[in-house]
Amino acid sequence: MNESHTETRKDPMPRFSAAAMREVETIYTRYPPEYRRSALLPILHLAQREFGGWLSRETLEYVAELTGIPPVRVHEVATFYTMYNLRPVGKYHVQVCTNISCWLCGSDLVVKALQEKLRLGWGETSADGRFTLTEVECLGACVNAPTLQINDDYHEDLTPEKVVEIIDRLP
Amino acid sequence: MGMREIPGEKVVYRNIELQDSHLLAVAREHGAYAAARKALGMSSEEVIEEVKQSNLRGRGGAGFPAGMKWSFIPKDNSRPHYLICNADEGEPGTCKDREILRHDPHLLIEGMIIAAYAVRAERGYVYIRGEFVREAERLQQAVDDAYAAGLLGDDVMGSGFRFHLAVHRGAGAYVCGEETALIESLEGKKGQPRLKPPFPANVGLYNCPTVINNVETLSAVPAILERGGAWYAGLGVPKSSGTKVFSVSGHVVRPGNYEVPLGIPLRTLLDDYAGGVRGGWENLKGVIPGGSSTPVLTAEVCATITMDYDALAKAGSMLGAGSVIVLDKSVCIVRAISRLSRFYRHESCGQCTPCREGTGWLAKIMNRLEAGQGSVGDIELLQDICNNISGKTICALGDAAAMPVAGAIRAFPEEFAYHIKHGRCMVG
């Protein structure tokens, strides 16, 4: 599903902070002790948040070591799900839905406005590292189409004008 | 929010428009957790019987009777039992559960307490689609508040019943809405569906008996316990009891989530609730009635069809998750279906050859047709591929990919033929 391949990172080997380790322990409490592997998806989400918004090969190896899950299993999970970024993404990951309800309500025009504003094509990151533009499948906000997601937040009922305003307002 | 004041009885959206409806204090002020308290004073069997009487069918798409599903859980307690709420809402057109997660999470938690008590599950999970970050945060807050109030934990409401509930985020994979793929994902694996049987009722999460219900299904349970199964069964029409939330999107004046009794005429839903078709009823081309996997209905059928399981099945489509996608006459059907085929190609988990190869093939041909490069024989080829996917895969994603293509060819054959003959769309 997630067609990207993992990249290596230039920084030193990642290690969770003490605060992140406490989060890991909290995550583990949600599952029976003998099924700690259930914590893998949440820990990968945490790792992505902690290590710059993406999962490098080194990060996946670290998660494997930390959880005791074989590295190949961690790798296959990370590559299966589209929300795990296997390459660096910009400070703002702009994910635009173009699926049917959004398309019917004008996502083509929203995409055009966004691409012109950001001067980016699908999958590209701006040279200053601020924006990555990604086309995504259904975001599940169809009655408020067109919709996009910037990092953790949805923006709905978009128009070409509104989407430019949203980008302009970002700090 | 996309919801309007509507007449008639609401069951799952009854408190959703209140100010701060997501807060425990507000929810309690409006009756939350009274039904759970009532259920905890009954036997598990009595609770299941009440839900059976209600004729509540699963609102996630399959429409399986909820009470019957609960009764499949083995009576013995030699292994732990689990309850999972499927909040992996991801089918194009579908966005009803999100409103419950955002605006009435305590209704869902209450429904889960009742369901867990009925199937004797001590642990439950809400598997929520990963993109719903804010919804997951709000639900987590509601869970924390419920724990603090003694509504969850080792002694639920002082009843001696133990129920622990956790929120688990997915990570972007439509297939994880399929119950066994969801279980795999919750176990920390790739979300690839399992062969059934064995069914989750016997071999589910951690190989233990597991019940999986949709958000909307579980959210209907408190009202059923409060007012009785017979009351709920009296709403709607025979074999399609109760209310349903329809997500109406696309070319209507007021897209939105509308809770109405099952069996409502589609035309009433569109005209009276969604503000009518853009440009008037005469401008309607067709409706995808239950989410992207359900075959499109022509305007002629839309004029008289009612929104219930049987009527839609009879018309060659499905109620699905109640995701009504409205297409006006400006829409090129080939392009619309091509977009959906791209979705299914992207979301196929790759486990079964007919689906992995077939979804890609369908998308490629649909794309080619749309681009005006179709060949004579493409329609037959599409139909052949659909036949070779349908029923030949572990889960229903393959069927879900094939149905809209085959359905559109049935409903709008002239548009496909025109694309091939003229290399362009007959619309616009």
Side-chain angles (χ1 to χ4, degrees):
Chain A
M1 296 178 74
N2 191 345
E3 287 159 13
S4 313
H5 294 285
T6 51
E7 284 193 9
T8 53
R9 67 190 311 134
K10 296 175 186 75
D11 313 334
M13 187 73 169
R15 286 271 173 264
F16 277 143
S17 62
M21 282 307 297
R22 282 195 293 278
E23 272 193 62
V24 170
E25 289 309 317
T26 304
I27 290 168
Y28 276 138
T29 63
R30 295 177 192 148
Y31 311 97
E34 62 274 38
Y35 296 106
R36 283 163 66 104
R37 185 172 165 182
S38 279
L40 181 55
L41 267 67
I43 290 174
L44 286 173
H45 278 304
L46 179 64
Q48 182 157 293
R49 193 190 77 197
E50 290 289 301
F51 303 127
W54 69 293
L55 299 170
S56 67
R57 188 171 294 185
E58 289 83 354
T59 302
L60 296 180
E61 283 169 12
Y62 170 63
V63 168
E65 181 195 308
L66 180 77
T67 58
I69 297 168
V72 66
R73 299 284 173 231
V74 174
H75 189 271
E76 73 179 13
V77 166
T79 53
F80 184 81
Y81 297 93
T82 52
M83 287 180 69
Y84 297 128
N85 303 314
L86 304 174
R87 282 184 289 226
V89 292
K91 180 182 175 190
Y92 299 111
H93 191 186
V94 182
Q95 304 190 73
V96 192
C97 179
T98 58
N99 213 307
I100 190 154
S101 300
C102 285
W103 169 64
L104 291 171
C105 294
S107 65
D108 283 358
L109 295 174
V110 168
V111 168
K112 188 165 174 275
L114 252 180
Q115 292 191 330
E116 281 172 9
K117 172 77 182 167
L118 299 175
R119 295 183 186 173
L120 294 175
W122 292 132
E124 293 177 355
T125 300
S126 58
D128 61 3
R130 266 173 71 78
F131 296 102
T132 296
L133 187 62
T134 306
E135 181 181 32
V136 293
E137 295 301 334
C138 186
L139 285 174
C142 314
V143 303
N144 296 101
T147 304
L148 63 74
Q149 183 169 20
I150 301 178
N151 299 345
D152 292 343
D153 291 304
Y154 274 37
H155 300 268
E156 303 169 41
D157 300 310
L158 298 173
T159 61
E161 297 73 30
K162 197 169 163 186
V163 84
V164 169
E165 273 175 41
I166 289 166
I167 296 296
D168 281 336
R169 277 204 312 270
L170 290 172
Chain B
M1 225 156 68
M3 287 171 293
R4 306 280 154 177
E5 272 306 316
I6 54 170
E9 191 124 37
K10 286 192 259 188
V11 175
V12 299
Y13 274 13
R14 55 192 160 150
N15 290 340
I16 221 161
E17 292 185 15
L18 298 170
Q19 181 77 30
D20 294 327
S21 56
H22 61 287
L23 299 178
L24 178 58
V26 175
R28 282 192 126 167
E29 202 179 307
H30 290 86
Y33 296 104
R37 189 174 292 281
K38 183 176 173 186
L40 293 172
M42 299 160 67
S43 70
S44 294
E45 291 75 17
E46 285 168 341
V47 174
I48 292 180
E49 194 49 43
E50 204 68 52
V51 175
K52 272 189 174 171
Q53 272 189 18
S54 76
N55 293 330
L56 171 66
R57 294 171 66 166
R59 302 296 193 226
F64 193 81
M68 198 185 292
K69 192 185 247 190
W70 294 5
S71 68
F72 290 156
I73 291 292
K75 297 286 172 257
D76 72 279
N77 277 327
S78 57
R79 295 174 292 164
H81 298 177
Y82 291 97
L83 173 70
I84 299 174
C85 170
N86 185 345
D88 191 60
E89 184 166 61
E91 175 136 337
T94 314
C95 54
K96 63 195 175 63
D97 296 340
R98 182 171 175 238
E99 306 291 7
I100 297 169
L101 296 164
R102 286 200 295 180
H103 299 296
D104 205 355
H106 287 289
L107 181 68
L108 172 62
I109 295 169
E110 182 178 13
M112 290 189 75
I113 292 170
I114 297 167
Y117 178 72
V119 302
R120 300 173 312 283
E122 293 191 353
R123 209 183 262 269
Y125 294 95
V126 181
Y127 184 100
I128 183 169
R129 69 173 291 172
E131 292 87 342
F132 284 176
V133 183
R134 301 304 179 206
E135 290 78 1
E137 287 170 355
R138 185 162 273 187
L139 180 62
Q140 184 63 56
Q141 185 61 55
V143 167
D144 292 345
D145 292 346
Y147 266 107
L151 301 163
L152 291 170
D154 289 336
D155 184 17
V156 174
M157 295 188 223
S159 66
F161 173 59
R162 175 188 162 93
F163 182 54
H164 286 270
L165 181 61
V167 180
H168 183 101
R169 280 178 61 214
Y174 165 71
V175 71
C176 290
E178 195 280 338
E179 58 181 8
T180 59
L182 187 156
I183 289 171
E184 288 284 300
S185 182
L186 188 43
E187 291 182 355
K189 304 172 199 161
K190 288 191 287 184
Q192 291 190 313
R194 297 175 181 173
L195 269 174
K196 292 193 281 192
F199 290 94
N202 265 312
V203 183
L205 184 63
Y206 311 131
N207 294 323
C208 291
T210 303
V211 161
I212 305 175
N213 287 132
N214 178 257
V215 174
E216 188 186 350
T217 314
L218 288 164
S219 298
V221 168
I224 290 168
L225 263 288
E226 195 182 303
R227 303 182 62 175
W231 161 79
Y232 190 83
L235 304 173
V237 293
K239 293 189 186 168
S240 294
S241 298
T243 64
K244 175 84 192 77
V245 179
F246 290 101
S247 306
V248 185
S249 69
H251 292 154
V252 287
V253 175
R254 284 197 306 266
N257 283 303
Y258 301 105
E259 182 176 358
V260 296
L262 278 164
I264 189 175
L266 174 59
R267 181 149 193 182
T268 305
L269 178 66
L270 298 188
D271 283 348
D272 295 1
Y273 295 86
V277 177
R278 190 176 75 170
W281 185 263
E282 294 310 309
N283 196 31
L284 179 68
K285 176 166 212 161
V287 169
I288 299 173
S292 64
S293 62
T294 61
V296 62
L297 307 172
T298 59
E300 194 188 358
V301 175
C302 293
T304 54
I305 192 92
T306 54
M307 298 301 283
D308 53 85
Y309 295 98
D310 290 348
L312 283 157
K314 207 172 155 196
S317 192
M318 290 165 73
L319 184 77
S323 319
V324 179
I325 305 167
V326 179
L327 316 172
D328 75 11
K329 284 184 174 165
S330 70
V331 175
C332 167
I333 284 290
V334 175
R335 185 165 179 208
I337 301 300
S338 174
R339 183 62 189 88
L340 296 182
S341 293
R342 184 144 62 96
F343 171 79
Y344 288 103
R345 175 183 62 186
H346 183 268
E347 300 296 346
S348 173
C349 82
Q351 188 176 201
C352 309
T353 309
C355 177
R356 181 184 63 241
E357 302 299 321
T359 53
W361 203 0
L362 286 179
K364 203 169 165 183
I365 298 169
M366 288 303 302
N367 190 42
R368 188 169 81 203
L369 278 183
E370 204 243 319
Q373 290 155 2
S375 324
V376 174
D378 272 353
I379 294 175
E380 293 73 19
L381 182 56
L382 284 169
Q383 287 168 322
D384 190 40
I385 297 166
C386 289
N387 289 336
N388 278 293
I389 301 175
S390 299
K392 296 183 173 64
T393 54
I394 288 174
C395 84
L397 193 143
D399 292 58
M403 281 191 297
V405 176
I409 293 172
R410 265 200 312 275
F412 296 97
E414 69 287 354
E415 286 213 25
F416 283 79
Y418 192 96
H419 262 267
I420 291 169
K421 190 170 178 190
H422 299 279
R424 63 184 172 85
C425 184
M426 65 198 294
V427 178

